[in-house]
Amino acid sequence: AAKGDGRGVHRFYAESMLEGARSRKRMEEDLRVALAQDQLHLAYQPVVSTRDEEIVGFEALLRWRHPELGDISPGQFVPVAEECGLIEQIGEWVLRTACAEAASWPRPARVAVNVSSIQFVKPHLPTLVAQALAQSGLTPERLELEITESVFLNDNHESERKFAALKALGIRLALDDFGTGYSSLGYLRHAPFDKIKIDKSFVRGAVRPGNRNAAIIGAIVSLADTLGMETTAEGVELQDEIDLIRNLGCSHIQGYIYGKPVAVAEVHRMLHEGGGRATPVGLKSLRRS
Ligand code: C2E
Ligand code: MG
Ligand code: MG
Ligand code: MG
């Protein structure tokens, strides 16, 4: 049975005396098998326009169904894949699969793909992206790559060239988990982002009176506006949070309130039958996690 909480995963991978190294080795081996045996798939979470609740796109989120352990969250296995180098192969699979699946959606909604900083620094990333677009037939404006601040940690002007090469393909770039990394704001001067994603840690608690997160979100939004970038607030779970985010001028919302990540068949249903519009889900069915 699938274990959502990950405790079973931890026990399975970490029971030995040599904990860290050995359990990571084991997860690494299992990940290689996962790639070869189709145990990976993508779930998609709607990104909704604050103005009219139109679904403008979906973020592709990697899922691993382990044959014995059930679902393992990317928060657990992506760091391992990054450490052992497997993230390159996995990332390529994600890119190709997301483009291929999005190409057949009944509306031209965007698809956002997470790119690890390890993947980002590889010279051939723009080529891989071009291939994924060509093979799928997806138009470049529909593809958005999500990159985190960590790509700027050892910045040596290489990233500026990389950004330019990616933008030259006609795709969009988003800065993910904004405000949670260690970088300075200096990189925003040159990096051609189309969107800033405001991390859910800022949304959390923002509606409480006197909480400072609302002020921080407001400042990020005005910075993004000035630079001509869109903003997505992540992790929105409550109607009150929608209202606040809208008042603060955020252009987009992504969170359980409009939908958890779903299988691709459900994306078709939402875009087709749902008319491409989202409605906040009943508050009672929401559980804070
Ligand atoms: P992320 O890119 O910031 O993705 C957003 C995460 O927030 C997702 O977690 C999503 O399910 C979760 N989320 C969205 N709305 C809500 C909400 O209202 N409440 C709460 N509590 N959570 C919400 P997920 O799917 O577990 O992914 C975690 C992280 O794993 C991602 O964070 C991303 O950094 C990484 N990841 C996922 N897929 C990929 C991938 O294909 N490649 C790479 N390199 N990393 C990935
Ligand atoms: Mg993301
Ligand atoms: Mg994020
Ligand atoms: Mg994150």
Side-chain angles (χ1 to χ4, degrees), residues 12 52 59 71 79 91 110-111 123 130 138 152 174 210-211 216 221 243 278 281:
F12 183 84
D52 56 7
E59 179 175 6
D71 296 329
R110 290 178 196 146
V111 64
L138 190 77
F152 298 103
N211 189 286
I216 295 172
V221 170
D243 298 339
V281 300

Side-chain angles (χ1 to χ4, degrees), residues 232-245:
T232 296
E234 293 190 295
V236 175
E237 296 184 353
L238 307 170
Q239 180 62 51
D240 285 353
E241 290 170 349
I242 294 182
D243 298 339
L244 176 77
I245 293 299

Side-chain angles (χ1 to χ4, degrees), residues 155-170:
D155 196 21
N156 47 16
H157 291 281
E158 210 42 54
S159 57
E160 262 176 64
R161 245 174 289 167
K162 186 66 59 66
F163 284 125
L166 291 169
K167 284 305 294 176
L169 297 172

Side-chain angles (χ1 to χ4, degrees), residues 158-277:
E158 210 42 54
S159 57
E160 262 176 64
R161 245 174 289 167
K162 186 66 59 66
F163 284 125
L166 291 169
K167 284 305 294 176
L169 297 172
I171 66 168
R172 294 166 50 93
L173 297 175
L175 183 53
D176 203 357
D177 302 344
F178 184 72
T180 63
Y182 303 96
S183 303
S184 76
L185 290 175
Y187 58 79
L188 283 179
R189 274 184 304 218
H190 305 298
F193 292 111
D194 300 281
K195 168 184 278 189
I196 290 177
K197 298 193 78 176
I198 301 169
D199 191 71
K200 52 180 171 288
S201 58
F202 295 111
V203 173
R204 207 52 67 242
V207 291
R208 265 183 253 126
N211 189 286
R212 294 179 167 201
N213 284 354
I216 295 172
I217 294 171
I220 296 173
V221 170
S222 67
L223 175 67
D225 281 351
T226 308
L227 296 171
M229 299 171 186
E230 297 177 345
T231 41
T232 296
E234 293 190 295
V236 175
E237 296 184 353
L238 307 170
Q239 180 62 51
D240 285 353
E241 290 170 349
I242 294 182
D243 298 339
L244 176 77
I245 293 299
R246 187 182 281 128
N247 288 335
L248 290 172
C250 249
S251 59
H252 297 90
I253 288 177
Q254 182 181 347
Y256 292 173
I257 184 91
Y258 285 118
K260 293 190 171 182
V262 292
V264 67
E266 182 68 9
V267 172
H268 281 256
R269 203 199 56 76
M270 290 168 86
L271 289 175
H272 198 252
E273 289 165 38
R277 222 157 269 272

